[in-house]
Amino acid sequence: MSEQAKGISLFRTHNAGELRMGEAGHEVVLSGWVQRRRDLGGLIFIDLRDRSGFVQVVFNPDHSSPEVMALGDKLRNEYVLSVKGKVIAREPGTVNAKIPTGEIEVQAMQAEILNAAKNPPFYIQDNVDVDEMVRLKYRYLDLRRSEMQQTFILRHKAVQFIRSFLDRNEFLDIETPMLTKSTPEGARDYLVPSRMHPGEFYALPQSPQLFKQLLMVSGFERYYQVARCFRDEDLRADRQPEFTQVDIEMSFMPLQEFHDLMEEMMAALFKETLGADIPRPFQRLTYKEAMDRYGSDKPDVRFGLELKNISEIAATSAFKVFASTVENGGVVKGINAKGCASYSRKQIDELEAFAKRYGAKGLAWMAFTEEGLKSPIGKFLNEDEIESIKRMMEAETGDLLLFVADKEKVANDALGNLRLKLGKDLDLIAEGSFRFLWVTEFPLLGYDEEAGRWVAEHHPFTMPMWEDIDKLESDPVSVRAQAYDMVLNGYEIGGGSMRIFQRDIQEKMFKALGFTMEEAYDKFGFLLDAFEYGAPPHGGIAFGLDRIIMIMAGRQSLRDTIAFPKTQSASDPMTQAPSEVSARQLEDLHIRLGQDVETVTGKE
RNA sequence: GCGGAAGUAGCUCAGCGGUAGAGCAUCGCCUUGUCAAGGCGAGGGCCGCGGGUUCGAUCCCCGUCUUCCGCUCCA
């Protein structure tokens, strides 16, 4: 038993942050951390924090013994403290309306320091501007901050809700292996060397994709898992090497019904946890429409600024860049930056530099000012053309039109991102609003220039749209998949598909991917075998839990929704992972380091 | 692999070719109604690391490492 037992003998009767006028007059025991100490000499105030919040504890000689006063004097930030005291209503002039517990305070009658604490490297408080590196190194302290705790409480509630929703709908939580087989398609695998099998490796799962399909073959019919996934690719603010999916798969349900169910889950989740009303059914856009109008397969539809295609006018114009781009199969698209005609040359140059990051060769512009058209390309366009463009772009005086002439992919990418930037810069996005949509009819295949062959855009078991199956051979690029993403505020929060469950279609798919059946068997033999034994029609989706929580919590970085995340170079400043291992460990694993790796320092 | 930004006290930052500063934090003293308490005082620095230029470099140049944002990548 700790020293504590000798003193107060009880850690807690109430949560500090939940005390209100209702408890006035009650004797309480609180335990937590010293948030802050205000020493007025004869009088000491302590903000005592626990998970629920904090309350002011007063050390006052009028009601605290000399021993208790002496203890109050010793307290420092982040000391762990147990206090027994009386809750009293504060004197009228001393009420603090800024905090939930501001109407009361606790008079310390007994107190005990359960643990001292070193001076923390940064303040444990919200909205601190501390370097991420420092926060991650002392993650356990960072996680003490209220806003971090709120995020993880939200995350917990969200997961609880999802689990119970899926349970009510007869989904079974089934775990799948973390040590599994490396598969050729997709992201780079994290590999785990095998000790028992020299020269062979497991892969950590990029997702439980194949296993959940096998569970459908097994007849579980409805499966879900809150599953950790691993991808060894470059990180971003919204991408971690290790992340969590809510992975769902089900049999015998038509696409539309499945989408309805998933919508219901998300809408109810947001209602339950945030009180947000999400209109249903969700908006739907085909992939093509999303690309045409927003230049993105995950459009943020909280604002307009849609892309317009002016290729037709551009094709016949005297502006060579426009005309030749269209002639060579490219497009000319633009967006209307409403009210930006007054942008300075410097501002426009910055927009151009931004567009160039996404491969655009330049950014043509037309500003309709009070004094008339200002544009470097104006002299190449006749009045009719200018009028047509103006009409097509829905431009008025005061607007700035921005154009990219390039291959369709580049134009969409550059303008799509420019649109997002302008949306932010021009403050067009209503904070706290949630706009869900489905993006459907993704292309089934994409051509991989490097590999010189067609690759599955989603994965090789994605069902083509029935009406496109015949084109698998003749016109692979135009084959659409029964694949879909759920998009929220410009983030892809989930993606999935209906799966191929019939042998002949699967063979056609592999053929389109340039695999022989032998090669296909080598890579996915176990799944193909399984499918010979009566695979039901099935499909599913995987939601990016971390990302959903990030949006729900209004955070900008995925790292704020993962308790122990990694830096951009996939390392952990706290544990120092990854790290070197001993020569002995490597030997057991039959691994010799390459010559480009500095000698491992012996750690036997 | 590439582009951009950053690295100076525990934290957040300023500085500048002549050996370093602020706010907060810490420590000491004072302080009975504070709640970002206040007052006085003190300690605290390989100016990320390695080279170069210079009489002299935290500052200029080159390289390198780390972090953040983005590109490539992420079925």
Side-chain angles (χ1 to χ4, degrees), chain A residues 262-277:
Chain A
M262 293 299 99
E263 282 188 15
E264 186 190 339
M265 182 173 81
M266 295 310 289
L269 169 67
F270 275 64
K271 182 69 186 173
E272 189 83 7
T273 55
L274 298 177
D277 289 304

mmCIF file of all heavy atoms in Angstrom, chain A residues 262-277:
data_model
loop_
_atom_site.group_PDB
_atom_site.id
_atom_site.type_symbol
_atom_site.label_atom_id
_atom_site.label_comp_id
_atom_site.label_asym_id
_atom_site.label_seq_id
_atom_site.Cartn_x
_atom_site.Cartn_y
_atom_site.Cartn_z
ATOM 1 N N MET A 262 -24.577 2.093 -44.628
ATOM 2 C CA MET A 262 -23.371 2.804 -44.230
ATOM 3 C C MET A 262 -23.664 4.297 -43.986
ATOM 4 O O MET A 262 -23.121 4.907 -43.077
ATOM 5 C CB MET A 262 -22.282 2.651 -45.308
ATOM 6 C CG MET A 262 -21.755 1.228 -45.451
ATOM 7 S SD MET A 262 -20.982 0.590 -43.929
ATOM 8 C CE MET A 262 -22.281 -0.393 -43.226
ATOM 9 N N GLU A 263 -24.531 4.851 -44.797
ATOM 10 C CA GLU A 263 -24.964 6.230 -44.579
ATOM 11 C C GLU A 263 -25.643 6.372 -43.226
ATOM 12 O O GLU A 263 -25.383 7.314 -42.481
ATOM 13 C CB GLU A 263 -25.982 6.646 -45.649
ATOM 14 C CG GLU A 263 -25.377 6.999 -46.976
ATOM 15 C CD GLU A 263 -26.426 7.591 -47.909
ATOM 16 O OE1 GLU A 263 -27.522 7.973 -47.433
ATOM 17 O OE2 GLU A 263 -26.147 7.667 -49.117
ATOM 18 N N GLU A 264 -26.509 5.413 -42.954
ATOM 19 C CA GLU A 264 -27.236 5.457 -41.696
ATOM 20 C C GLU A 264 -26.247 5.425 -40.533
ATOM 21 O O GLU A 264 -26.382 6.180 -39.564
ATOM 22 C CB GLU A 264 -28.190 4.249 -41.617
ATOM 23 C CG GLU A 264 -29.102 4.286 -40.413
ATOM 24 C CD GLU A 264 -29.862 2.964 -40.230
ATOM 25 O OE1 GLU A 264 -29.997 2.196 -41.213
ATOM 26 O OE2 GLU A 264 -30.288 2.702 -39.092
ATOM 27 N N MET A 265 -25.232 4.590 -40.672
ATOM 28 C CA MET A 265 -24.244 4.477 -39.607
ATOM 29 C C MET A 265 -23.511 5.803 -39.403
ATOM 30 O O MET A 265 -23.366 6.278 -38.272
ATOM 31 C CB MET A 265 -23.231 3.371 -39.932
ATOM 32 C CG MET A 265 -22.201 3.168 -38.840
ATOM 33 S SD MET A 265 -21.135 1.742 -39.137
ATOM 34 C CE MET A 265 -19.967 2.434 -40.289
ATOM 35 N N MET A 266 -23.062 6.406 -40.495
ATOM 36 C CA MET A 266 -22.288 7.640 -40.368
ATOM 37 C C MET A 266 -23.159 8.787 -39.846
ATOM 38 O O MET A 266 -22.736 9.562 -38.990
ATOM 39 C CB MET A 266 -21.652 8.017 -41.712
ATOM 40 C CG MET A 266 -20.615 7.041 -42.220
ATOM 41 S SD MET A 266 -19.356 6.597 -41.007
ATOM 42 C CE MET A 266 -18.442 8.114 -40.923
ATOM 43 N N ALA A 267 -24.362 8.880 -40.388
ATOM 44 C CA ALA A 267 -25.244 9.962 -39.943
ATOM 45 C C ALA A 267 -25.557 9.810 -38.460
ATOM 46 O O ALA A 267 -25.525 10.779 -37.697
ATOM 47 C CB ALA A 267 -26.527 9.960 -40.777
ATOM 48 N N ALA A 268 -25.829 8.566 -38.041
ATOM 49 C CA ALA A 268 -26.143 8.335 -36.634
ATOM 50 C C ALA A 268 -24.921 8.579 -35.755
ATOM 51 O O ALA A 268 -25.026 9.108 -34.654
ATOM 52 C CB ALA A 268 -26.652 6.905 -36.442
ATOM 53 N N LEU A 269 -23.763 8.216 -36.275
ATOM 54 C CA LEU A 269 -22.524 8.455 -35.528
ATOM 55 C C LEU A 269 -22.335 9.945 -35.245
ATOM 56 O O LEU A 269 -22.034 10.357 -34.125
ATOM 57 C CB LEU A 269 -21.322 7.923 -36.327
ATOM 58 C CG LEU A 269 -19.942 8.330 -35.817
ATOM 59 C CD1 LEU A 269 -19.660 7.681 -34.462
ATOM 60 C CD2 LEU A 269 -18.853 7.956 -36.818
ATOM 61 N N PHE A 270 -22.537 10.758 -36.283
ATOM 62 C CA PHE A 270 -22.333 12.201 -36.116
ATOM 63 C C PHE A 270 -23.409 12.812 -35.227
ATOM 64 O O PHE A 270 -23.152 13.753 -34.487
ATOM 65 C CB PHE A 270 -22.277 12.894 -37.486
ATOM 66 C CG PHE A 270 -20.899 12.865 -38.093
ATOM 67 C CD1 PHE A 270 -20.297 11.673 -38.435
ATOM 68 C CD2 PHE A 270 -20.179 14.039 -38.288
ATOM 69 C CE1 PHE A 270 -19.008 11.629 -38.960
ATOM 70 C CE2 PHE A 270 -18.891 14.014 -38.818
ATOM 71 C CZ PHE A 270 -18.311 12.811 -39.153
ATOM 72 N N LYS A 271 -24.619 12.244 -35.328
ATOM 73 C CA LYS A 271 -25.699 12.737 -34.473
ATOM 74 C C LYS A 271 -25.401 12.402 -33.018
ATOM 75 O O LYS A 271 -25.470 13.245 -32.131
ATOM 76 C CB LYS A 271 -27.026 12.090 -34.907
ATOM 77 C CG LYS A 271 -28.229 12.552 -34.116
ATOM 78 C CD LYS A 271 -28.554 14.002 -34.443
ATOM 79 C CE LYS A 271 -29.662 14.530 -33.548
ATOM 80 N NZ LYS A 271 -29.854 15.984 -33.750
ATOM 81 N N GLU A 272 -25.024 11.156 -32.823
ATOM 82 C CA GLU A 272 -24.808 10.639 -31.470
ATOM 83 C C GLU A 272 -23.642 11.320 -30.756
ATOM 84 O O GLU A 272 -23.736 11.680 -29.592
ATOM 85 C CB GLU A 272 -24.528 9.128 -31.573
ATOM 86 C CG GLU A 272 -24.491 8.410 -30.258
ATOM 87 C CD GLU A 272 -25.904 8.049 -29.800
ATOM 88 O OE1 GLU A 272 -26.860 8.254 -30.578
ATOM 89 O OE2 GLU A 272 -26.033 7.568 -28.682
ATOM 90 N N THR A 273 -22.535 11.482 -31.475
ATOM 91 C CA THR A 273 -21.323 11.962 -30.808
ATOM 92 C C THR A 273 -21.158 13.474 -30.880
ATOM 93 O O THR A 273 -20.574 14.076 -29.990
ATOM 94 C CB THR A 273 -20.066 11.306 -31.405
ATOM 95 O OG1 THR A 273 -20.061 11.530 -32.804
ATOM 96 C CG2 THR A 273 -20.031 9.828 -31.110
ATOM 97 N N LEU A 274 -21.658 14.092 -31.959
ATOM 98 C CA LEU A 274 -21.454 15.533 -32.119
ATOM 99 C C LEU A 274 -22.761 16.313 -32.115
ATOM 100 O O LEU A 274 -22.756 17.540 -32.125
ATOM 101 C CB LEU A 274 -20.718 15.827 -33.440
ATOM 102 C CG LEU A 274 -19.310 15.238 -33.602
ATOM 103 C CD1 LEU A 274 -18.773 15.574 -34.981
ATOM 104 C CD2 LEU A 274 -18.369 15.775 -32.531
ATOM 105 N N GLY A 275 -23.857 15.593 -32.152
ATOM 106 C CA GLY A 275 -25.147 16.266 -32.243
ATOM 107 C C GLY A 275 -25.383 16.895 -33.606
ATOM 108 O O GLY A 275 -26.254 17.757 -33.762
ATOM 109 N N ALA A 276 -24.620 16.477 -34.596
ATOM 110 C CA ALA A 276 -24.735 17.075 -35.933
ATOM 111 C C ALA A 276 -25.808 16.365 -36.746
ATOM 112 O O ALA A 276 -25.894 15.142 -36.752
ATOM 113 C CB ALA A 276 -23.389 16.987 -36.650
ATOM 114 N N ASP A 277 -26.630 17.145 -37.414
ATOM 115 C CA ASP A 277 -27.651 16.563 -38.291
ATOM 116 C C ASP A 277 -27.087 16.419 -39.691
ATOM 117 O O ASP A 277 -26.726 17.401 -40.330
ATOM 118 C CB ASP A 277 -28.892 17.459 -38.314
ATOM 119 C CG ASP A 277 -29.644 17.396 -36.997
ATOM 120 O OD1 ASP A 277 -30.003 16.265 -36.601
ATOM 121 O OD2 ASP A 277 -29.837 18.456 -36.362
#
